[in-house]
Amino acid sequence: MDYDILRCLHNPGDRELVLTPRTLEVNTNWSRSGIEDHLPTLREHGLVEYYDEEKSLYQLTDRGRAWLEGDLPTDALEDDRD
């Protein structure tokens, strides 16, 4: 699910998107509640950030982009929890 969320925000082949959990739900095979459960973890790891917190709009961060492009190993994310 996390990969799908990040990939949707990244929008390969076009400019990156700023999306709400509801729009992420429509563009992935995941439920909005599941997406809403995962977004805080992605924020904790610095992979996404609020574009507009009041409107619940999220965008990909440089770190999220690096992870998607393979420049940031998953182990580095797991180390964040220590």
Side-chain angles (χ1 to χ4, degrees):
M1 173 184 295
D2 296 337
Y3 176 80
D4 292 339
I5 293 169
L6 296 174
R7 193 86 171 141
C8 193
L9 289 168
H10 190 247
N11 195 28
D14 209 346
R15 72 175 237 237
E16 290 184 6
L17 301 174
V18 174
L19 302 172
T20 65
R22 182 165 175 79
T23 15
L24 284 163
E25 173 191 30
V26 170
N27 290 287
T28 64
N29 291 323
W30 302 103
S31 70
R32 187 168 93 193
S33 63
I35 290 168
E36 288 172 340
D37 288 345
H38 282 266
L39 283 169
T41 301
L42 293 173
R43 283 185 56 236
E44 286 173 21
H45 289 300
L47 301 174
V48 300
E49 64 188 2
Y50 281 117
Y51 177 83
D52 184 328
E53 187 172 0
E54 188 175 302
K55 294 179 182 177
S56 199
L57 286 166
Y58 290 87
Q59 66 184 4
L60 194 63
T61 63
D62 289 339
R63 186 177 168 119
R65 208 170 297 105
W67 184 81
L68 279 172
E69 294 170 358
D71 296 332
L72 179 68
T74 300
D75 293 350
L77 302 178
E78 293 167 359
D79 290 344
D80 287 347
R81 291 198 179 260
D82 295 339

